[in-house]
Amino acid sequence: MANDSTGRAPELRALRPDEWDTAYDNLLRAFGGLPESDEEREMWRSITEFDRFVAAWDAERCVGTAGAFSFRLTVPGGASVPAAGVTMVSVAATHRRRGVLTSMMRRQLDDVRSLGEPLAVLCASEPAIYGRFGYGAATFQLDAEIDTARVGLTVPDGTDDVRVRYADPAEVLDACEAVYARLVPGRPGMLARRPGWERVGLLDPESDRDGASPLQCVVAERDGETVGYARYRVKPSWSSAGPDSQVVLSALEALDPAAGAALWRFLFGLDLTSSLVARGRPVDEGWQYLVSDIRRCRPARRDALYVRTVEVGAALAARTYRAPVDVVLDVEDAFCPWNAGRWRLSGDAKGASCEPTRDAADLALSARELGAAYLGGVSLTALAAAGRVRELRGGALAEAALAFGSDPAPWMPHGF
């Protein structure tokens, strides 16, 4: 088969607005060629930051894409830290194994550093690709298929004081976004939504419903205040025994346990349904401890957000630590060599500093493992058990592992 190429190295440049459709078509082709609705295409175009979107061109053909969104990411301790949300990465099948992806990653991380963002984050379509660029799996999420015909809920006190009512998703968007915004500082991994991102949760193209209903919404209220919301669809089905429909959860946020329990109870009790599919939920979410039979919920954990420390010192100083820590890290980072070397991290629950040092190292690890452990959801002890972190001073591993941990578990609320 002929290689669709001029033979020249592809040219990298920032994407111009008039090139967006060409680049986006290349992206869709790389991900299987599935069509997207006009609504989806227009929304993604409207939030594209063109000065942060790099495309690779072979003559007039777009053969690679890599974009970034300007996010603020919650880190342990509640601080909101600038982070580049890496997105829309693709390489045309005709130009694989020619260094296109590496050149785009090099350009992108250099740009992230120049903008002063200490972190880069992404959702990996293929995790094996991004480890070599220093990204580590830092958050995980829970999927569940709950047999609501057999599984009951025991709800906490105060649940009956919460009113759940139907609402048009667009009409209550502001109230729902206010709930989300109040939750962002409380959990590492959550993203502060910039203007325009609130629309992502309302995308509802018929092609994505897989036979389910249009998006529905309920809000939870107490004393007239919105304290939670849930968005979902219902996929109708009838068996020989009668109705057997499925609830497909899209989003659920609540400000307190009673509000959350009221929303889950509503979803469990929808007429004519016998199951509830929930994907991408926090691994420590409370509903797991309300159900009568966790086995019939079929919980499954999978990787979610990948983190890359672009500036080790700034990244480690931006978060706080669950216990006092004073440790020298020997960091290996071939792709971002400015990070390589020894760093003294000193911190506690009030703050931290991280500076280059010539002192002897206590722990040795690569940028990928540092990214994995950064949000507190992956234990340094577990990484050491896998041979990915080496203890060079006795006791340093236990000290650092305790300090890096996080309650609650980090969670990525939505993809990008």
Side-chain angles (χ1 to χ4, degrees):
M1 183 174 68
N3 193 328
D4 182 17
S5 171
T6 63
R8 297 190 298 267
E11 173 194 4
L12 293 186
R13 66 171 186 265
L15 190 70
R16 300 193 307 260
D18 64 314
E19 297 171 330
W20 190 86
D21 281 314
T22 299
Y24 197 67
D25 287 341
N26 181 81
L27 174 73
L28 294 180
R29 184 186 303 114
F31 280 84
L34 294 175
E36 284 200 323
S37 68
D38 291 343
E39 177 189 13
E40 290 174 281
R41 179 179 284 259
E42 186 280 326
M43 191 214 69
W44 289 116
R45 189 186 197 286
S46 71
I47 59 178
T48 294
E49 299 175 43
F50 285 94
D51 58 340
R52 306 203 65 174
F53 199 118
V54 175
W57 300 86
D58 187 349
E60 300 302 315
R61 291 186 293 274
C62 180
V63 298
T65 61
F69 295 118
S70 302
F71 285 143
R72 296 195 70 89
L73 178 78
T74 300
V75 300
S80 181
V81 176
V86 177
T87 188
M88 301 187 189
V89 178
S90 70
V91 176
T94 54
H95 287 67
R96 295 178 62 201
R97 299 183 179 89
R98 292 179 54 189
V100 176
L101 178 61
T102 299
S103 65
M104 292 191 299
M105 293 291 100
R106 171 80 279 138
R107 164 81 171 263
Q108 187 175 71
L109 285 171
D110 288 343
D111 289 347
V112 171
R113 187 188 186 203
S114 71
L115 291 170
E117 294 169 323
L119 299 170
V121 297
L122 57 81
C123 310
S125 56
E126 295 182 85
I129 293 175
Y130 293 100
R132 68 180 190 267
F133 301 120
Y135 289 88
T139 78
F140 292 80
Q141 57 192 31
L142 195 70
D143 295 344
E145 297 182 14
I146 305 170
D147 182 353
T148 51
R150 300 186 184 185
V151 177
L153 285 175
T154 301
V155 298
D157 292 342
T159 301
D160 291 338
D161 297 330
V162 179
R163 175 196 179 207
V164 176
R165 67 174 179 88
Y166 286 106
D168 180 277
E171 290 181 0
V172 295
L173 180 58
D174 288 347
C176 294
E177 286 299 295
V179 169
Y180 177 87
R182 287 179 61 181
L183 294 171
V184 167
R187 188 184 285 273
M190 291 194 73
L191 302 166
R193 289 209 266 257
R194 299 181 65 188
W197 277 90
E198 72 281 357
R199 296 171 52 204
V200 175
L202 299 188
L203 276 177
D204 192 28
E206 187 171 354
S207 58
D208 286 355
R209 296 176 191 163
D210 191 28
S213 70
L215 191 68
Q216 301 184 49
C217 180
V218 291
V219 293
E221 297 175 329
R222 184 188 294 112
D223 300 327
E225 177 190 4
T226 300
V227 292
Y229 67 92
R231 298 183 186 127
Y232 65 95
R233 298 177 178 88
V234 176
K235 188 174 182 179
S237 177
W238 291 76
S239 70
S240 58
D244 190 27
S245 299
Q246 184 179 76
V247 181
V248 182
L249 182 62
S250 175
L252 188 152
E253 309 286 356
L255 296 180
D256 55 66
L263 290 166
W264 285 104
R265 183 171 65 180
F266 169 83
L267 295 169
F268 270 52
L270 280 170
D271 289 342
L272 309 182
T273 69
S274 60
S275 63
L276 167 61
V277 174
R279 303 199 187 282
R281 305 304 306 169
V283 296
D284 59 349
E285 195 165 33
W287 68 264
Q288 299 169 83
Y289 309 104
L290 303 179
V291 296
S292 59
D293 188 343
I294 191 64
R295 293 182 188 176
R296 293 190 181 276
C297 300
R298 299 176 63 186
R301 196 182 80 145
R302 59 188 173 98
D303 57 302
L305 190 70
Y306 284 67
V307 172
R308 212 264 189 239
T309 51
V310 180
E311 290 281 7
V312 165
L316 292 180
R319 56 158 292 178
T320 62
Y321 296 85
R322 189 161 58 175
V325 62
D326 185 12
V327 66
V328 175
L329 305 174
D330 189 354
V331 178
E332 175 190 344
D333 196 342
F335 203 69
C336 294
W338 56 84
N339 288 322
R342 282 168 284 172
W343 297 83
R344 178 173 288 281
L345 169 65
S346 299
D348 54 26
K350 296 180 180 179
S353 65
C354 187
E355 301 291 341
T357 183
R358 294 184 179 181
D359 294 343
D362 300 319
L363 297 175
L365 71 172
S366 78
R368 181 176 66 178
E369 280 64 58
L370 190 58
Y374 180 76
L375 293 176
V378 176
S379 168
L380 288 170
T381 303
L383 292 170
R388 308 303 302 182
V389 174
R390 291 185 295 120
E391 184 178 48
L392 306 176
R393 171 178 64 82
L397 178 62
E399 175 190 344
L402 175 62
F404 267 76
S406 172
D407 289 314
W411 176 56
M412 180 188 72
H414 57 78
F416 50 88

